[in-house]
Amino acid sequence: MKKLILLLTFAVLGLTAQAQIQYIEEKPQYIEKQADSLTKIYTKKLGLTPKQDLLFKSNVADYLIKREEIKKNYKGKKMLDQLYIVSKEESGSMSEVLTEYQFELYEKIKPSIQPLAKVDQD
């Protein structure tokens, strides 16, 4: 019985890990291109190291996907509110990648590089 439970546990963990890896690999190509483009801009302005560059690009790609989903599901002020929340989450994750000086600079230049969105007045 213990062997069966142990076997099932490893099988579930293996499937979970595989699902996570597939999620990472299945980012749309246009998202990867956008993330690469944004990362290049930030690398020049912030002086990212190669390791920071990889982590930064991965974070940017993840949050581009989140932004896209928000734009599909919300309109108007609700969309802006959700985009603002995601932008703050993104900044929080970037604070773990960047040095204190880089992060302060990132916070200053981010609105001009990655504006939230524009909403038509109805």
Side-chain angles (χ1 to χ4, degrees):
M1 185 66 173
K2 288 182 182 179
K3 288 182 181 180
L4 179 60
I5 292 172
L6 188 61
L7 181 62
L8 288 174
T9 303
F10 283 122
V12 169
L13 290 175
L15 290 174
T16 303
Q18 184 178 7
Q20 290 175 348
I21 291 169
Q22 288 175 348
Y23 171 74
I24 291 170
E25 292 175 358
E26 291 183 18
K27 289 179 184 162
Q29 187 65 27
Y30 70 96
I31 292 287
E32 290 290 340
K33 285 183 180 182
Q34 278 183 297
D36 192 46
S37 177
L38 286 168
T39 302
K40 285 179 182 177
I41 293 167
Y42 282 112
T43 296
K44 288 179 185 175
K45 299 202 179 271
L46 301 175
L48 301 178
T49 66
K51 184 178 179 181
Q52 285 176 313
D53 190 270
L54 290 172
L55 295 170
F56 194 96
K57 181 182 174 187
S58 177
N59 279 347
V60 167
D62 291 343
Y63 284 97
L64 285 172
I65 291 170
K66 288 181 180 185
R67 279 190 185 91
E68 195 171 83
E69 289 193 19
I70 288 169
K71 288 179 180 179
K72 285 180 189 173
N73 295 319
Y74 299 97
K75 300 289 180 215
K77 184 175 179 335
K78 185 71 172 173
M79 179 185 72
L80 282 178
D81 291 342
Q82 293 299 313
L83 288 171
Y84 179 78
I85 291 168
V86 166
S87 180
K88 287 298 177 188
E89 289 174 4
E90 180 181 27
S91 292
S93 70
M94 293 305 186
S95 72
E96 297 174 13
V97 173
L98 304 172
T99 66
E100 186 176 342
Y101 173 76
Q102 287 172 323
F103 183 71
E104 288 173 9
L105 184 55
Y106 167 78
E107 287 283 279
K108 289 179 186 174
I109 64 175
K110 183 181 177 185
S112 63
I113 297 172
Q114 293 178 273
L116 288 181
K118 293 183 179 179
V119 176
D120 295 329
Q121 297 293 330
D122 293 35

